[in-house]
Amino acid sequence: MLVLLFSCKPEKEPRVLNLPKTDLSTADLIPKPVSLKATYSAFPLDQFTAIRTTPDSLGFPEVGKFLAEKIKQITQLQVPVNTEFPEQESVVYIKQSDSLSKLNKESYGLRINKDSIILNAASAEAAFRGVQTLRQLLPLKANDSIIDYPVWPIASGALNDTPFFEYRGAMLDVARHFFTVEDVKKYIDLLAYYKYNVLHLHLTDDQGWRIEIKSWPKLTEIGGETEVGNEPGGFYTQEDYKAIVAYAAQHHMTIVPEVDMPGHTNAASVAYPFLNGNGKTPKIYRGTQVGFSTFDTRKDTVYSFIDDVVREISAITPGPYFHIGGDESHVTQKDDYIYFVNKVEQIVQKYDKKMIGWDEVATADIDTTSIAQFWQSQKNAELAVAKNLKVIMSPAKKAYLDMKYDLKSEYGLNWAGYVPVNTAYVWKPEAYENIPREHILGIEAPLWSETISTISELEYLAFPRAIGYAELNWSQPEQRDWENYKVRLGNQAPFLELMEVNYYPSPLIDWKTQNKAIKE
Ligand code: ACM
């Protein structure tokens, strides 16, 4: 019977394709991989291509389907995933590798040959990172001169890759201005392409409260209606938030929720005045000043409230972190602040999360499992290291996406100075004095939204700078080079345009754009 089946299969002539010469070593990969070797031929992505993955429950088939979907968006090809494929001649294999998993959970190796691509990965997460590399190698246009149907030749060779930092984050302030679930999903799409693995959402501030808390409904009934200026605000229902978390998980990204306290809490105190500790009657606030609000840190009912908030958010947050803010509590007494942070840390731990706080939290007596986020005070970051805490690097002068690029920037602030595209790239997060590499989880690039209210304005501030942080986070220090990066960045223009990203066309970069307005 088997023999019969085989004999029924039509004989096919092997294809002879006249594939172009390529050079993988000049590919515009961002972030740059650890090592790469070109073999100067190509893999023909075409109607005869299929994807095959490790058929297990560890998430590999989903990574294969993700790749197929992205290939379809660019080529219209329907690449089958894990189906029987007698027709298919060129195969992309996505496989789990035990030897790589011993190295790092995100390590992968890519071998691109004339008739196969083999992506060996430590985990599905690693495979997902490798798939981003493959996407960056996929030409946006077919080469029609090879044969009488379209072929997208992928440069052949071998590369090995592993991240430098484990925590590669961006933060979005949805409190000063609200951004919809669709906006956040688009940001995730773009960040994932550059191998980010964390999105931190700043969910609450003086001007608004953006996450439904079922036990305290007025937080969003009142706090969801306002934002900076006269715009209408908004909030995520818990279902919305779960949709963001699930979308992030499909992109192997972790959501870090932040409820900022004891300062930056005016919106919560307007909804529930018993929370307020600044001695005044809380009033709706639509301005951009900071440092005037505080919770009452000595009331038990305030901690019962916080317990409910942390419990409800933690229950729908699979990631390991809960961010408590802790910044700019200028009207909280020092001893009250320390008492507060210590109490809230216990609540966070009760719900099995690790606490993150802005660098001021290092002044409290916090546990070594908690994490300090360096944004303004190197002294606080050093204090965190002295207390044996891990540190997230977000120094405003280098890593704040809401700083203006230059004098001409349409949006943004400049209290930490201007951050042009080169300043955002040319610094060494691992080389700060007294903040040793072993203490650093990675860079997170915060985007505060006082001056932006639409996805297009968000994109203007985030891109292209967010792409530079991706390289500082992932690539080895010796791989980072401004002159070389500049060229690769300019070559991102076709992708950014395809994604309809309103990036800032910095004059420091020679953009390989199709867009005439930018060229001129
Ligand atoms: C901050 O920028 N207030 C953390």
Side-chain angles (χ1 to χ4, degrees):
M1 185 62 191
L2 249 182
V3 174
L4 233 167
L5 260 179
F6 266 102
S7 63
C8 288
K9 207 174 150 200
E11 280 292 314
K12 240 181 340 137
E13 290 293 312
R15 285 178 302 158
V16 183
L17 295 180
N18 207 1
L19 291 166
K21 253 196 166 310
T22 64
D23 188 354
L24 184 64
S25 67
T26 59
D28 297 307
L29 295 172
I30 301 180
K32 221 178 195 335
V34 170
S35 71
L36 183 151
K37 196 170 149 286
T39 52
Y40 310 105
S41 65
F43 171 90
L45 177 73
D46 61 16
Q47 58 190 313
F48 300 109
T49 303
I51 296 171
R52 270 193 123 32
T53 74
T54 299
D56 59 16
S57 57
L58 300 174
F60 280 77
E62 286 74 15
V63 176
K65 284 181 205 138
F66 178 92
L67 175 60
E69 212 178 280
K70 296 301 171 188
I71 289 175
K72 181 156 182 264
Q73 279 170 14
I74 288 177
T75 64
Q76 318 311 315
L77 292 172
Q78 298 266 12
V79 179
V81 181
N82 293 342
T83 53
E84 286 308 314
F85 49 92
E87 293 292 314
Q88 270 66 31
E89 290 193 10
S90 49
V91 181
V92 180
Y93 295 97
I94 303 179
K95 300 201 266 197
Q96 207 271 335
S97 149
D98 284 337
S99 58
L100 282 175
S101 63
K102 288 190 194 92
L103 209 61
N104 180 297
K105 69 182 169 57
E106 290 184 288
S107 293
Y108 69 90
L110 202 46
R111 304 282 171 273
I112 303 167
N113 311 309
K114 279 195 230 173
D115 54 0
S116 67
I117 291 178
I118 302 162
L119 169 55
N120 280 312
S123 61
E125 188 181 353
F128 187 82
R129 306 298 170 225
V131 157
Q132 307 315 313
T133 305
L134 206 43
R135 288 175 69 195
Q136 294 193 3
L137 293 172
L138 174 61
L140 298 181
K141 288 204 182 74
N143 188 332
D144 294 318
S145 63
I146 296 174
I147 199 163
D148 57 0
Y149 54 80
V151 177
W152 287 260
I154 297 180
S156 68
L159 67 84
N160 293 317
D161 210 2
T162 199
F164 187 67
F165 286 124
E166 69 186 83
Y167 183 111
R168 303 181 301 278
M171 185 213 82
L172 180 61
D173 171 9
V174 296
R176 268 52 173 277
H177 281 102
F178 181 64
F179 291 88
T180 64
V181 173
E182 287 312 305
D183 294 339
V184 175
K185 285 184 177 176
K186 185 173 179 192
Y187 201 27
I188 288 172
D189 287 339
L190 295 167
L191 294 169
Y193 186 75
Y194 294 106
K195 299 188 174 66
Y196 277 76
N197 64 356
V198 173
L199 178 63
H200 161 188
L201 293 173
H202 180 78
L203 292 164
T204 69
D205 214 304
D206 290 321
Q207 300 86 347
W209 185 285
R210 308 291 175 218
I211 174 94
E212 175 190 25
I213 303 296
K214 292 184 196 287
S215 51
W216 298 89
K218 284 194 213 165
L219 288 169
T220 47
E221 280 168 22
I222 296 173
E225 299 260 293
T226 52
E227 58 186 10
V228 167
N230 289 317
E231 285 130 319
F235 68 92
Y236 306 126
T237 62
Q238 292 200 358
E239 291 307 309
D240 289 337
Y241 178 82
K242 285 191 219 166
I244 293 173
V245 166
Y247 194 77
Q250 285 162 14
H251 293 75
H252 292 271
M253 282 174 77
T254 298
I255 295 293
V256 176
E258 178 186 350
V259 172
D260 201 350
M261 49 194 168
H264 290 276
T265 44
N266 183 70
S269 291
V270 170
Y272 294 104
F274 77 90
L275 296 167
N276 187 36
N278 73 2
K280 301 182 184 151
T281 304
K283 289 204 286 286
I284 281 175
Y285 185 68
R286 293 188 170 89
T288 59
Q289 297 297 313
V290 297
F292 61 89
S293 56
T294 183
F295 277 161
D296 184 335
T297 59
R298 298 286 168 174
K299 244 189 218 160
D300 288 345
T301 47
V302 169
Y303 296 102
S304 314
F305 165 86
I306 294 170
D307 192 290
D308 287 336
V309 169
V310 176
R311 173 177 50 77
E312 288 198 31
I313 296 176
S314 295
I316 51 175
T317 302
Y321 308 113
F322 193 102
H323 200 306
I324 68 148
D327 56 321
E328 298 176 312
S329 283
H330 301 325
V331 294
T332 319
Q333 296 296 321
K334 178 86 188 148
D335 55 340
D336 290 345
Y337 177 83
I338 292 170
Y339 177 78
F340 180 87
V341 171
N342 293 344
K343 297 261 299 181
V344 174
E345 182 187 53
Q346 284 168 11
I347 296 172
V348 168
Q349 291 177 351
K350 175 174 155 195
Y351 294 107
D352 285 331
K353 299 294 177 197
K354 279 187 193 164
M355 184 184 88
I356 307 178
W358 298 105
D359 60 49
E360 291 93 325
V361 299
T363 61
D365 308 318
I366 56 178
D367 215 84
T368 54
T369 56
S370 292
I371 296 154
Q373 184 165 7
F374 170 30
W375 68 282
Q376 191 182 39
S377 164
Q378 188 166 341
K379 228 173 104 214
N380 283 341
E382 289 174 11
L383 186 59
V385 169
K387 292 183 176 179
N388 209 17
L389 306 186
K390 290 278 196 315
V391 175
I392 294 168
M393 299 298 281
S394 308
K397 289 178 170 70
K398 301 288 182 191
Y400 263 33
L401 286 168
D402 60 310
M403 289 303 112
K404 291 184 172 191
Y405 291 91
D406 50 41
L407 272 167
K408 286 196 257 166
S409 286
E410 280 180 66
Y411 309 102
L413 303 170
N414 65 359
W415 61 261
Y418 295 106
V419 182
V421 178
N422 53 351
T423 301
Y425 181 85
V426 185
W427 61 290
K428 295 193 173 105
E430 67 283 355
Y432 278 73
E433 211 175 323
N434 302 324
I435 312 179
R437 157 84 182 92
E438 313 78 73
H439 280 265
I440 300 174
L441 286 179
I443 302 173
E444 183 180 286
L447 179 44
W448 300 96
S449 62
E450 286 96 329
T451 68
I452 56 168
S453 61
T454 65
I455 179 78
S456 147
E457 292 161 4
L458 177 166
E459 289 164 6
Y460 177 93
L461 286 176
F463 294 94
R465 290 181 291 197
I467 301 174
Y469 305 129
E471 179 143 305
L472 299 187
N473 258 333
W474 181 281
S475 304
Q476 305 297 308
E478 61 276 13
Q479 293 279 20
R480 310 177 198 143
D481 174 73
W482 168 247
E483 290 303 324
N484 180 283
Y485 170 72
K486 230 163 78 164
V487 178
R488 286 178 286 128
L489 182 58
N491 288 334
Q492 301 303 302
F495 170 75
L496 295 172
E497 283 160 16
L498 181 81
M499 296 293 286
E500 298 182 342
V501 176
N502 177 39
Y503 65 96
Y504 169 62
S506 163
L508 300 174
I509 305 299
D510 180 13
W511 296 101
K512 294 291 181 286
T513 174
Q514 317 296 315
N515 178 343
K516 219 167 149 277
I518 293 174
K519 266 192 169 152
E520 283 165 0

